[in-house]
Amino acid sequence: MTQRIAIITGGSRGLGKNAALKLAERGIGVLLTYQSRREDAEAVVREIEQKGVKAAALALNVADSASFPAFVSQVKAQLQQTWQRDSFDYLINNAGIGIYAPFGEFSEAQFDELVNIHFKGPFFLTQQLLPLINNGGRILNVSSGLTRFALPGYSAYASMKGAMEVLTRYQAKELGSRNIAVNIIAPGAIETDFGGGRVRDNEELNRFIASQTALGRVGLPDDIGAAIAAIIGDELGWMNAQRIEVSGGMFL
């Protein structure tokens, strides 16, 4: 059987890194992207290779849609070089940043940055990569629990994620003729460096979230990486156009 290949944006750190490792444990090859931390990305590639799976890393700024045609050319070359393939199977649109600011103080520059990274970027990157995705492949977008519940300071971020949830349904509808399933995962609060590491490093915030979560703790990267691997897996191949929240039961 030909090894399946996943592209994960933002795979050098945080949830993207964890997802890459979980997919590698299932024997899936990984082409991950990074924005600036080349050393971190190469370290993840080595860790994946130690699991007996092929991997590679490419630089990508998801906020710069003008760079996507050149990036797609790099993807084609890397697929040939590493896997002797001209296509891949899974796309995980994970790359992102968090900007925390009250609605009344949110700047237009901050808004535009979030739009480019969290909505315009995934929209056009997926479009550009469509010719390389195998029929029967899968696309997984990333949302947030913040589209269901509202916490002050995340109005713009959550709005972009809400847009991605709508886009997911349209992608599923329009790509169904190619048997490509499209879903979106919505993590709850996770202990990572995301957004400056507020959930991980602020003990008071961490305790509050744990107290408001049915399973009694804040999420860990392993919780989400394992979920991503499961959603991508064949066992859930009939699941399509769904928002899957993985939050331990926050704010029920």
Tab-separated table of all heavy atoms in Angstrom, residues 138-170:
chain	number	residue	atom	x	y	z
A	138	ARG	N	-8.848	13.852	2.442
A	138	ARG	CA	-9.585	14.519	3.515
A	138	ARG	C	-8.938	15.867	3.821
A	138	ARG	O	-7.706	16.005	3.775
A	138	ARG	CB	-9.607	13.651	4.779
A	138	ARG	CG	-10.403	12.362	4.575
A	138	ARG	CD	-10.295	11.409	5.760
A	138	ARG	NE	-11.037	11.845	6.933
A	138	ARG	CZ	-12.342	11.726	7.090
A	138	ARG	NH1	-13.070	11.203	6.106
A	138	ARG	NH2	-12.933	12.114	8.196
A	139	ILE	N	-9.783	16.834	4.146
A	139	ILE	CA	-9.326	18.149	4.574
A	139	ILE	C	-9.866	18.386	5.978
A	139	ILE	O	-11.044	18.133	6.258
A	139	ILE	CB	-9.824	19.253	3.623
A	139	ILE	CG1	-9.241	19.055	2.221
A	139	ILE	CG2	-9.458	20.638	4.168
A	139	ILE	CD1	-9.870	19.962	1.163
A	140	LEU	N	-9.000	18.848	6.862
A	140	LEU	CA	-9.424	19.172	8.225
A	140	LEU	C	-9.027	20.611	8.527
A	140	LEU	O	-7.844	20.961	8.527
A	140	LEU	CB	-8.787	18.225	9.244
A	140	LEU	CG	-9.206	18.467	10.702
A	140	LEU	CD1	-10.708	18.236	10.872
A	140	LEU	CD2	-8.423	17.552	11.652
A	141	ASN	N	-10.012	21.442	8.760
A	141	ASN	CA	-9.775	22.813	9.183
A	141	ASN	C	-9.791	22.886	10.704
A	141	ASN	O	-10.221	21.951	11.378
A	141	ASN	CB	-10.842	23.737	8.574
A	141	ASN	CG	-10.785	23.760	7.060
A	141	ASN	OD1	-9.709	23.817	6.472
A	141	ASN	ND2	-11.945	23.689	6.411
A	142	VAL	N	-9.338	24.005	11.229
A	142	VAL	CA	-9.258	24.151	12.690
A	142	VAL	C	-10.042	25.379	13.129
A	142	VAL	O	-9.810	26.488	12.651
A	142	VAL	CB	-7.797	24.256	13.164
A	142	VAL	CG1	-7.744	24.496	14.679
A	142	VAL	CG2	-7.028	22.985	12.814
A	143	SER	N	-10.975	25.158	14.026
A	143	SER	CA	-11.767	26.234	14.598
A	143	SER	C	-11.391	26.404	16.063
A	143	SER	O	-10.237	26.208	16.452
A	143	SER	CB	-13.266	25.936	14.430
A	143	SER	OG	-14.045	26.991	14.953
A	144	SER	N	-12.358	26.742	16.893
A	144	SER	CA	-12.118	26.979	18.311
A	144	SER	C	-13.421	26.837	19.077
A	144	SER	O	-14.498	27.105	18.543
A	144	SER	CB	-11.559	28.394	18.516
A	144	SER	OG	-11.554	28.743	19.890
A	145	GLY	N	-13.307	26.435	20.339
A	145	GLY	CA	-14.485	26.431	21.194
A	145	GLY	C	-15.108	27.799	21.315
A	145	GLY	O	-16.294	27.938	21.645
A	146	LEU	N	-14.310	28.839	21.021
A	146	LEU	CA	-14.774	30.216	21.153
A	146	LEU	C	-15.844	30.589	20.134
A	146	LEU	O	-16.424	31.672	20.233
A	146	LEU	CB	-13.585	31.176	21.028
A	146	LEU	CG	-12.601	31.129	22.199
A	146	LEU	CD1	-11.275	31.753	21.804
A	146	LEU	CD2	-13.184	31.807	23.431
A	147	THR	N	-16.131	29.740	19.160
A	147	THR	CA	-17.262	30.007	18.266
A	147	THR	C	-18.583	29.593	18.911
A	147	THR	O	-19.644	30.021	18.449
A	147	THR	CB	-17.114	29.269	16.923
A	147	THR	OG1	-17.092	27.854	17.159
A	147	THR	CG2	-15.836	29.686	16.204
A	148	ARG	N	-18.521	28.769	19.961
A	148	ARG	CA	-19.744	28.339	20.666
A	148	ARG	C	-19.987	29.165	21.912
A	148	ARG	O	-21.113	29.562	22.202
A	148	ARG	CB	-19.649	26.854	21.031
A	148	ARG	CG	-20.853	26.334	21.816
A	148	ARG	CD	-20.766	24.846	22.084
A	148	ARG	NE	-19.626	24.467	22.894
A	148	ARG	CZ	-19.585	24.522	24.236
A	148	ARG	NH1	-20.635	24.973	24.928
A	148	ARG	NH2	-18.506	24.146	24.900
A	149	PHE	N	-18.942	29.425	22.680
A	149	PHE	CA	-19.072	30.272	23.866
A	149	PHE	C	-18.224	31.528	23.677
A	149	PHE	O	-17.288	31.535	22.881
A	149	PHE	CB	-18.653	29.530	25.140
A	149	PHE	CG	-17.322	28.821	25.048
A	149	PHE	CD1	-16.112	29.508	25.170
A	149	PHE	CD2	-17.265	27.447	24.836
A	149	PHE	CE1	-14.896	28.856	25.092
A	149	PHE	CE2	-16.042	26.785	24.756
A	149	PHE	CZ	-14.856	27.489	24.885
A	150	ALA	N	-18.585	32.573	24.375
A	150	ALA	CA	-17.921	33.864	24.185
A	150	ALA	C	-17.120	34.245	25.428
A	150	ALA	O	-17.667	34.312	26.540
A	150	ALA	CB	-18.956	34.944	23.887
A	151	LEU	N	-15.830	34.503	25.219
A	151	LEU	CA	-14.967	35.032	26.268
A	151	LEU	C	-14.442	36.387	25.794
A	151	LEU	O	-13.909	36.488	24.688
A	151	LEU	CB	-13.792	34.082	26.543
A	151	LEU	CG	-14.142	32.731	27.167
A	151	LEU	CD1	-12.885	31.877	27.331
A	151	LEU	CD2	-14.807	32.935	28.531
A	152	PRO	N	-14.583	37.432	26.590
A	152	PRO	CA	-14.149	38.765	26.161
A	152	PRO	C	-12.694	38.769	25.701
A	152	PRO	O	-11.833	38.110	26.315
A	152	PRO	CB	-14.333	39.611	27.432
A	152	PRO	CG	-15.409	38.914	28.200
A	152	PRO	CD	-15.177	37.449	27.945
A	153	GLY	N	-12.442	39.499	24.629
A	153	GLY	CA	-11.086	39.623	24.117
A	153	GLY	C	-10.813	38.832	22.866
A	153	GLY	O	-9.757	38.991	22.247
A	154	TYR	N	-11.758	37.970	22.467
A	154	TYR	CA	-11.515	37.096	21.317
A	154	TYR	C	-12.532	37.316	20.201
A	154	TYR	O	-12.780	36.419	19.400
A	154	TYR	CB	-11.552	35.635	21.761
A	154	TYR	CG	-10.431	35.262	22.703
A	154	TYR	CD1	-10.677	35.096	24.061
A	154	TYR	CD2	-9.137	35.081	22.232
A	154	TYR	CE1	-9.645	34.759	24.938
A	154	TYR	CE2	-8.108	34.745	23.086
A	154	TYR	CZ	-8.369	34.590	24.447
A	154	TYR	OH	-7.341	34.265	25.297
A	155	SER	N	-13.133	38.515	20.136
A	155	SER	CA	-14.202	38.744	19.169
A	155	SER	C	-13.734	38.534	17.731
A	155	SER	O	-14.429	37.880	16.935
A	155	SER	CB	-14.750	40.158	19.328
A	155	SER	OG	-13.717	41.134	19.159
A	156	ALA	N	-12.583	39.058	17.370
A	156	ALA	CA	-12.106	38.934	15.984
A	156	ALA	C	-11.640	37.505	15.696
A	156	ALA	O	-12.014	36.922	14.675
A	156	ALA	CB	-10.971	39.926	15.723
A	157	TYR	N	-10.849	36.946	16.596
A	157	TYR	CA	-10.338	35.579	16.402
A	157	TYR	C	-11.494	34.599	16.222
A	157	TYR	O	-11.508	33.788	15.279
A	157	TYR	CB	-9.480	35.186	17.608
A	157	TYR	CG	-9.014	33.759	17.606
A	157	TYR	CD1	-7.910	33.361	16.857
A	157	TYR	CD2	-9.674	32.795	18.365
A	157	TYR	CE1	-7.483	32.046	16.858
A	157	TYR	CE2	-9.255	31.478	18.375
A	157	TYR	CZ	-8.162	31.107	17.618
A	157	TYR	OH	-7.746	29.794	17.625
A	158	ALA	N	-12.472	34.669	17.108
A	158	ALA	CA	-13.597	33.739	17.040
A	158	ALA	C	-14.417	33.964	15.771
A	158	ALA	O	-14.947	33.010	15.190
A	158	ALA	CB	-14.478	33.885	18.278
A	159	SER	N	-14.528	35.215	15.327
A	159	SER	CA	-15.272	35.498	14.100
A	159	SER	C	-14.622	34.838	12.892
A	159	SER	O	-15.310	34.309	12.010
A	159	SER	CB	-15.371	37.013	13.889
A	159	SER	OG	-16.124	37.616	14.905
A	160	MET	N	-13.267	34.875	12.831
A	160	MET	CA	-12.559	34.214	11.722
A	160	MET	C	-12.815	32.708	11.756
A	160	MET	O	-13.004	32.070	10.719
A	160	MET	CB	-11.060	34.484	11.789
A	160	MET	CG	-10.656	35.926	11.955
A	160	MET	SD	-11.456	37.042	10.789
A	160	MET	CE	-11.129	38.605	11.601
A	161	LYS	N	-12.818	32.155	12.945
A	161	LYS	CA	-13.042	30.715	13.080
A	161	LYS	C	-14.479	30.356	12.708
A	161	LYS	O	-14.744	29.304	12.120
A	161	LYS	CB	-12.720	30.253	14.502
A	161	LYS	CG	-11.244	30.356	14.861
A	161	LYS	CD	-10.382	29.563	13.894
A	161	LYS	CE	-8.935	29.443	14.361
A	161	LYS	NZ	-8.101	28.691	13.387
A	162	GLY	N	-15.410	31.242	13.037
A	162	GLY	CA	-16.790	31.019	12.611
A	162	GLY	C	-16.901	31.006	11.096
A	162	GLY	O	-17.651	30.202	10.518
A	163	ALA	N	-16.170	31.880	10.441
A	163	ALA	CA	-16.152	31.891	8.978
A	163	ALA	C	-15.604	30.575	8.440
A	163	ALA	O	-16.108	30.033	7.446
A	163	ALA	CB	-15.322	33.066	8.472
A	164	MET	N	-14.577	30.041	9.087
A	164	MET	CA	-14.005	28.765	8.647
A	164	MET	C	-15.002	27.621	8.803
A	164	MET	O	-15.012	26.681	8.010
A	164	MET	CB	-12.724	28.454	9.424
A	164	MET	CG	-11.506	29.261	8.998
A	164	MET	SD	-11.081	29.059	7.247
A	164	MET	CE	-10.756	27.290	7.172
A	165	GLU	N	-15.864	27.715	9.814
A	165	GLU	CA	-16.874	26.661	9.993
A	165	GLU	C	-17.881	26.673	8.843
A	165	GLU	O	-18.279	25.612	8.340
A	165	GLU	CB	-17.563	26.829	11.346
A	165	GLU	CG	-16.618	26.551	12.519
A	165	GLU	CD	-17.301	26.649	13.880
A	165	GLU	OE1	-18.549	26.800	13.919
A	165	GLU	OE2	-16.593	26.580	14.894
A	166	VAL	N	-18.276	27.850	8.414
A	166	VAL	CA	-19.183	27.952	7.265
A	166	VAL	C	-18.475	27.462	6.004
A	166	VAL	O	-19.039	26.693	5.207
A	166	VAL	CB	-19.679	29.404	7.084
A	166	VAL	CG1	-20.488	29.535	5.800
A	166	VAL	CG2	-20.516	29.824	8.285
A	167	LEU	N	-17.238	27.894	5.806
A	167	LEU	CA	-16.474	27.474	4.634
A	167	LEU	C	-16.341	25.955	4.584
A	167	LEU	O	-16.424	25.356	3.501
A	167	LEU	CB	-15.090	28.122	4.654
A	167	LEU	CG	-14.128	27.695	3.538
A	167	LEU	CD1	-14.680	28.069	2.169
A	167	LEU	CD2	-12.746	28.323	3.760
A	168	THR	N	-16.156	25.329	5.732
A	168	THR	CA	-16.009	23.872	5.786
A	168	THR	C	-17.209	23.173	5.163
A	168	THR	O	-17.067	22.212	4.397
A	168	THR	CB	-15.817	23.414	7.246
A	168	THR	OG1	-14.572	23.936	7.747
A	168	THR	CG2	-15.815	21.896	7.357
A	169	ARG	N	-18.406	23.654	5.457
A	169	ARG	CA	-19.605	23.029	4.908
A	169	ARG	C	-19.667	23.208	3.394
A	169	ARG	O	-20.057	22.290	2.663
A	169	ARG	CB	-20.851	23.604	5.585
A	169	ARG	CG	-20.948	23.272	7.066
A	169	ARG	CD	-22.342	23.526	7.615
A	169	ARG	NE	-22.694	24.943	7.620
A	169	ARG	CZ	-22.388	25.776	8.612
A	169	ARG	NH1	-21.707	25.351	9.653
A	169	ARG	NH2	-22.773	27.044	8.562
A	170	TYR	N	-19.289	24.384	2.934
A	170	TYR	CA	-19.290	24.619	1.486
A	170	TYR	C	-18.229	23.776	0.784
A	170	TYR	O	-18.461	23.243	-0.311
A	170	TYR	CB	-19.078	26.111	1.189
A	170	TYR	CG	-20.369	26.891	1.230
A	170	TYR	CD1	-20.888	27.340	2.431
A	170	TYR	CD2	-21.081	27.141	0.061
A	170	TYR	CE1	-22.090	28.037	2.481
A	170	TYR	CE2	-22.276	27.844	0.097
A	170	TYR	CZ	-22.781	28.279	1.309
A	170	TYR	OH	-23.976	28.962	1.347
